[in-house]
């Protein structure tokens, strides 16, 4: 028997022993999740990535077999992915990309898992786009990761392999293709300020309007009401514009208990930005029924409103799935396009120009229409013409 044969036999024996040990742990009932969670931590920290690969394969095999609750498999795969993603170095990256992205192959579950995994990129650009590890990542994963890199301020156009892949998405008509490979003016608010604390993030705290807005509330004076009295806004909302405005929070409604009120108004007389708060308090708004105290407005920059919408899109609703960064960015810009009255097929660059020309406000979610749990937002815009107003309000609860 050759030495080579002996080595292969030894490797096969070790492989079988490891597989049996994993099966024993998975068959351990309710204690398996806790025991395997600790085992995952130990194996990843010690660099035993062969074990993690075998565990991922066994989780997928058991889920595909059916006939048992796969929620524990999903939880364990998530812990495995999280541990590997947090570990620096090419070996852990190779192990991460060797894992199944989802315990359910194909379909919506795998797509959601790919978007989620792309939402936490490490130093994986050469590996994913150059396939240095010999692992072919899906175009969906690559497309999501590309946009996650843009949101983190990476100069994507300066990397030929990234720029080339972005151009390929355009050629293929991929859903993410309309998004530019650079940050738009309103998105510069996503970049970390020079002296920001270590825990700074562009995501805004849920429900806290005083933190959604970074400017004091507006006080409506009798003079503002007198000047704004000439404006008599009429509602002109149509289903198509309401749907566009609601894109960033659509998953609150489709997957959870959310409610959305998206409305559009037109006035023959122009409205001054200085008097907008006085006109706003007279609008027939679904989220503030007649007889309830009107919302207090806070002036807001385009960047602040983008952060409000992007935060809502990226995060999970009370029930259901988050959109994560790539599709969250797309959803936020669809909402902004609806709010500024851009045509549905308008390039996002055109929408971005309209966004900068408009006047933006954040409103207190002060009525009983809002659930006030952790998912509430209200934004208003006075478009550049001064004659058009749009308001988006949304809420969700568990």
């Amino acid at each position: 028997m050759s030495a080579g044969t002996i080595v292969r036999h030894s490797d096969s024996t070790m492989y079988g022993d490891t597989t049996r040990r994993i099966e024993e742990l998975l068959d351990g009932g309710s204690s398996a999740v806790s025991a395997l969670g600790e085992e995952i931590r130990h194996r990843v920290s010690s660099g035993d990535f062969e074990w993690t690969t075998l565990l991922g394969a066994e989780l997928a095999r058991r889920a595909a077999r059916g006939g048992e609750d796969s929620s524990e498999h999903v939880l364990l795969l998530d812990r495995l992915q999280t541990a590997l993603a947090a570990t620096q170095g090419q070996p852990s990256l190779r192990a991460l990309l060797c894992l199944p992205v989802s315990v359910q192959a194909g379909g919506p579950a795998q797509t959601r898992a790919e978007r989620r995994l792309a939402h936490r990129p490490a130093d994986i650009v050469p590996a994913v786009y150059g396939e240095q590890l010999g692992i072919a990542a899906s175009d969906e994963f690559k497309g999501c990761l590309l946009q996650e890199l843009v949101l983190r301020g990476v100069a994507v156009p300066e990397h030929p392999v990234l720029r080339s892949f972005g151009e390929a998405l355009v050629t293929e008509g991929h859903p993410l293709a309309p998004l530019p490979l650079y940050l738009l003016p309103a998105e510069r608010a996503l970049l970390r300020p020079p002296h920001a604390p270590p825990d700074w993030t562009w995501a805004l705290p849920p429900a806290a309007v005083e933190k959604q807005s970074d400017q004091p509330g507006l006080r409506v004076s009798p003079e503002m009401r007198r000047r704004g009295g000439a404006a008599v806004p009429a509602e002109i909302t149509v289903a198509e514009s309401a749907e566009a405005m609601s894109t960033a929070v659509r998953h609150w409604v489709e997957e959870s208990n959310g409610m959305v009120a998206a409305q559009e108004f037109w006035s023959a007389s122009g409205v001054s930005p200085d008097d907008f708060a006085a006109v706003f308090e007279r609008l027939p708004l679904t989220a503030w029924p007649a007889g309830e105290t009107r919302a207090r407005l806070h002036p807001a920059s385009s960047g602040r409103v983008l952060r409000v919408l992007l935060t809502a899109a990226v995060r999970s609703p009370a029930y259901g799935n988050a959109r994560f960064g790539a599709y969250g960015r797309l959803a936020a810009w669809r909402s902004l396009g609806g709010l500024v009255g851009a045509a549905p097929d308008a390039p996002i660059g055109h929408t971005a120009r309209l966004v900068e020309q408009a006047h933006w406000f954040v409103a207190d979610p002060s009525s009983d229409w809002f659930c006030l749990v952790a998912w509430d937002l209200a934004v208003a815009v006075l478009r550049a013409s001064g004659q058009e107003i749009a308001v988006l309000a949304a809420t969700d609860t568990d």
Side-chain angles (χ1 to χ4, degrees):
M1 182 179 291
S2 67
T5 303
I6 294 173
V7 170
R8 284 196 294 272
H9 176 72
S10 175
D11 288 347
S12 177
T13 301
M14 184 178 300
Y15 178 92
D17 290 345
T18 302
T19 302
R20 280 193 293 274
R21 174 57 180 156
I22 288 173
E23 291 175 346
E24 290 173 1
L25 285 169
L26 286 170
D27 290 335
S30 59
S31 62
V33 173
S34 177
L36 269 167
E38 182 60 27
E39 187 80 2
I40 287 169
R41 186 196 65 77
H42 169 70
R43 295 281 185 169
V44 172
S45 63
S46 63
D48 189 353
F49 301 124
E50 180 182 6
W51 184 91
T52 63
T53 302
L54 292 174
L55 175 59
E58 179 63 16
L59 289 170
R61 186 186 72 80
R62 288 181 175 234
R65 187 173 63 194
E68 56 184 288
D69 183 6
S70 64
S71 59
E72 290 185 353
H73 304 142
V74 173
L75 176 60
L76 288 168
L77 181 60
D78 175 67
R79 289 189 179 183
L80 197 53
Q81 290 173 338
T82 300
L84 289 169
T87 303
Q88 298 297 317
Q90 292 290 309
S92 63
L93 171 59
R94 181 181 181 86
L96 177 62
L97 296 180
C98 281
L99 291 178
V101 294
S102 167
V103 295
Q104 299 177 17
Q110 178 165 336
T111 299
R112 286 195 299 269
E114 288 179 326
R115 294 175 185 177
R116 174 180 169 277
L117 187 58
H119 189 52
R120 48 189 186 196
D123 184 20
I124 62 179
V125 170
V128 172
Y129 297 95
E131 297 179 2
Q132 293 179 358
L133 303 180
I135 300 170
S138 72
D139 282 352
E140 180 67 15
F141 176 72
K142 290 180 180 179
C144 289
L145 178 59
L146 191 68
Q147 289 301 320
E148 295 284 357
L149 294 170
V150 173
L151 289 173
R152 282 162 173 77
V154 175
V156 167
E158 297 179 9
H159 298 266
V161 67
L162 299 180
R163 186 175 64 249
S164 176
F165 183 77
E167 292 167 353
L169 291 182
V170 174
T171 302
E172 296 166 6
H174 191 277
L176 295 174
L179 291 171
L181 300 182
Y182 52 86
L183 292 177
L184 293 159
E187 294 176 317
R188 292 172 189 154
L190 306 180
L191 297 175
R192 177 182 293 276
H195 304 295
D199 60 349
W200 183 90
T201 173
W202 54 257
L204 297 171
V209 71
E210 69 274 11
K211 294 183 179 178
Q212 287 185 1
S213 173
D214 54 356
Q215 299 187 44
L218 295 170
R219 296 186 179 278
V220 180
S221 68
E223 181 63 18
M224 291 167 63
R225 291 191 177 96
R226 185 190 67 77
R227 291 195 305 261
V232 184
E235 184 164 5
I236 57 171
T237 310
V238 295
E240 291 78 9
S241 61
E243 182 178 0
M245 286 187 275
S246 304
T247 307
V249 289
R250 188 173 298 153
H251 56 319
W252 292 16
V253 176
E254 293 179 347
E255 301 186 36
S256 192
N257 301 314
M259 297 187 297
V260 176
Q263 296 174 268
E264 198 172 11
F265 303 88
W266 179 83
S267 172
S269 300
V271 178
S272 165
D274 293 338
D275 301 326
F276 179 75
V279 176
F280 181 82
E281 69 179 6
R282 294 192 282 111
L283 296 178
L285 296 172
T286 301
W288 286 273
E292 292 204 22
T293 303
R294 286 282 110 180
R296 187 171 185 180
L297 284 181
H298 303 251
S301 65
S302 61
R304 198 69 178 187
V305 172
L306 174 88
R307 288 176 65 184
V308 170
L309 294 173
L310 186 57
T311 297
V314 165
R315 284 182 172 154
S316 300
Y319 298 98
N321 300 284
R323 293 182 184 269
F324 303 110
Y327 284 89
R329 186 189 187 202
L330 184 63
W333 278 104
R334 295 296 189 214
S335 282
L336 286 170
L339 284 163
V340 296
D345 58 350
I348 288 181
H350 173 70
T351 298
R353 289 190 290 274
L354 295 179
V355 166
E356 295 309 310
Q357 294 166 5
H359 301 276
W360 294 94
F361 304 84
V362 175
D364 292 337
S366 53
S367 74
D368 289 340
W369 184 87
F370 294 92
C371 299
L372 296 178
V373 177
W375 302 271
D376 300 278
L377 67 82
V379 299
V381 59
L382 175 64
R383 296 172 185 166
S385 67
Q387 294 179 283
E388 296 167 300
I389 297 168
V391 181
L392 171 66
T395 189
D396 190 21
T397 186
D398 53 5

